[in-house]
Amino acid sequence: GYAEACAKAGLSLVLVARRQDLLDQAAEELATGHGVEVRTLSADLTAPDAAIEVIAACDGLEIGTLINNAAYSQPGAFLDYRLSGVDKEIAINVTLVAHLSHHFGASMKQRGRGAIINVSSMTGELVMPYFALYCATKAFISHFTEALWFELKDHGVDVLAVKPDQTASEGYLAMNPGDWGDGIQSVEDCVRISLEMLGRGPESIPWPASHDHLNHVRSLSKEEAIALSGEGMRQVFGNAVGAGD
């Protein structure tokens, strides 16, 4: 969704994901449809050297907009997780975001222009049993990005933390199949609304219904709010909250 919006605006792209076949397909469609140059990098962004690999692939390019939109999550009781899964989640949701923001943000600050969009989540605003590590890493993205917004706003660099709620992305629908109706936001609306906020403030909560939900949760006691989230996770994920990888 973000790649489509950027290409439509005339920006050339470097796309990074795991699956080369889907990267190739997206690159061809975006280049043909919008007349922009598209490069691809197939990489496992949970790997320890992922940031180095991305930076090397962008050597010699002026990256004017950085969008950190990759993530790793697995619902389940935290103590059922393997430590390898813990390390992956921290690597991609925390370390990669910090390293890429640091590298490309420095170049943007030096040029006096640029934009960084770090995709967090509404889960970063809540305490969620059976999603403990994920919501904690997303809270990191939110706080880190909002602080970076202030540090760079006087240097011509726009920084934005995007906090989607349930969004009809490929990954989310694969984990949560079914007929969502109006209970989920489209990728297109999420991208459009968040990009409209770029340069206007430190955060975007792109689904209007999220604001009412967040206000309701914050009106509860801490115990009530955590219990509400925990029961909600059980309803959505069912047996999946019994194990993690």
Side-chain angles (χ1 to χ4, degrees), residues 166-168 172-185 207 236:
Q166 296 170 152
T167 307
Y172 192 88
L173 292 178
M175 185 177 288
N176 306 282
D179 182 9
W180 282 87
D182 295 330
I184 196 167
Q185 186 177 38
W207 199 20
V236 171

Side-chain angles (χ1 to χ4, degrees), residues 13-210:
L13 305 169
V14 180
L15 304 180
V16 186
R18 291 171 298 164
R19 293 170 288 182
Q20 188 63 57
D21 58 335
L22 294 184
L23 283 168
D24 291 341
Q25 178 183 341
E28 182 178 357
E29 292 174 354
L30 292 167
T32 302
H34 301 287
V36 297
E37 180 184 356
V38 184
R39 300 187 185 187
T40 67
L41 171 65
S42 174
D44 176 4
L45 294 177
T46 67
D49 60 349
I52 295 173
E53 190 173 1
V54 173
I55 291 169
C58 297
D59 186 43
L61 302 177
E62 180 179 314
I63 302 299
T65 301
L66 169 67
I67 303 177
N68 281 309
N69 191 32
Y72 179 89
S73 69
Q74 177 67 51
F78 176 71
L79 296 185
D80 291 336
Y81 271 58
R82 298 187 183 95
L83 286 178
S84 59
V86 172
D87 292 342
K88 284 183 178 181
E89 201 154 338
I90 293 173
I92 191 169
N93 296 357
V94 175
T95 306
L96 183 75
V97 171
H99 284 196
L100 294 183
S101 296
H102 185 275
H103 176 82
F104 292 111
S107 298
M108 294 174 190
K109 180 180 178 181
Q110 186 175 24
R111 291 194 301 266
R113 63 180 183 274
I116 298 173
I117 298 174
N118 291 330
V119 179
S120 181
S121 169
M122 277 295 294
T123 61
E125 304 298 301
L126 308 168
V127 178
M128 301 190 70
Y130 308 112
F131 232 15
L133 188 59
Y134 185 74
C135 67
T137 59
K138 288 299 184 176
F140 162 81
I141 293 176
S142 294
H143 293 312
F144 166 73
T145 305
E146 290 164 6
L148 197 59
W149 165 81
F150 184 85
E151 294 180 17
L152 293 179
K153 69 183 183 69
D154 294 331
H155 298 278
V157 182
D158 296 321
V159 182
L160 182 69
V162 180
K163 304 172 183 180
D165 211 315
Q166 296 170 152
T167 307
S169 65
E170 176 193 5
Y172 192 88
L173 292 178
M175 185 177 288
N176 306 282
D179 182 9
W180 282 87
D182 295 330
I184 196 167
Q185 186 177 38
S186 71
V187 169
E188 293 77 13
D189 283 347
C190 179
V191 169
R192 175 182 55 81
I193 293 171
S194 62
L195 288 177
E196 288 172 354
M197 193 63 195
L198 185 63
R200 298 170 56 192
E203 72 167 0
S204 172
I205 300 176
W207 199 20
S210 299

